Amino acid sequence: MLQILFNLNWIAIGLAFLVYFFLGYVWFTVLFAKPYRISLGKENETTEPLTPIFIIGPGICTLFNLVTTAVLFSALQINQMADALQWGSFIGIGYLAANTFNIAINPNIPKPILYGIISSAYHLVGINIASFLLIQNF
């Protein structure tokens, strides 16, 4: 397993991380800021500055997702764009979106379907962009 980690394209992982992470910022604070706040029941609250856990935590989770995806791509020898997008969609729907909806369905999320759609769509777009970047040779 360590050999696989040493052989990963860490430049591609780093670039995929930066793009996916920045996409999250734009997705939740610009493109879908209002619907996202509605999904959380916070449409009438004043926006507070984010504390480090709300920035660093998702970043760490994204990095784990990307390293896991890169290991999977290595094991399956995914190196063509069509295969990367197919597997990115499979991962995006089968793991990221399913898990996002699972998290959303609890009494603390007032509009779980809206939350699930917004967050799942972000992960589906993000993992597909990342999947494309992960197969590049930098």
Side-chain angles (χ1 to χ4, degrees):
M1 183 63 163
L2 283 178
Q3 189 61 34
I4 292 172
L5 290 174
F6 290 133
N7 290 331
L8 294 178
N9 184 343
W10 288 98
I11 294 172
I13 291 170
L15 182 58
F17 170 78
L18 291 174
V19 171
Y20 201 154
F21 192 69
F22 182 72
L23 176 65
Y25 170 75
V26 172
W27 197 274
F28 292 106
T29 63
V30 178
L31 298 176
F32 299 99
K34 186 174 181 178
Y36 183 64
R37 291 180 61 71
I38 290 169
S39 77
L40 296 171
K42 297 183 178 219
E43 62 270 23
N44 297 320
E45 293 182 20
T46 306
T47 304
E48 298 290 325
L50 294 176
T51 58
I53 192 169
F54 297 111
I55 298 167
I56 297 168
I60 292 170
C61 293
T62 298
L63 185 58
F64 272 96
N65 286 338
L66 292 174
V67 171
T68 302
T69 302
V71 168
L72 181 63
F73 280 17
S74 175
L76 296 174
Q77 298 180 352
I78 304 295
N79 52 24
Q80 300 294 319
M81 183 171 36
D83 294 334
L85 296 178
Q86 184 178 36
W87 277 96
S89 295
F90 188 66
I91 292 164
I93 294 167
Y95 286 113
L96 300 173
N99 195 46
T100 297
F101 269 99
N102 190 41
I103 292 166
I105 300 169
N106 76 65
N108 295 315
I109 306 288
K111 299 198 182 318
I113 302 301
L114 180 59
Y115 176 91
I117 289 169
I118 294 166
S119 297
S120 294
Y122 157 67
H123 285 297
L124 186 58
V125 171
I127 197 64
N128 273 294
I129 293 169
S131 294
F132 170 74
L133 294 170
L134 289 174
I135 63 164
Q136 302 305 309
N137 293 316
F138 295 104

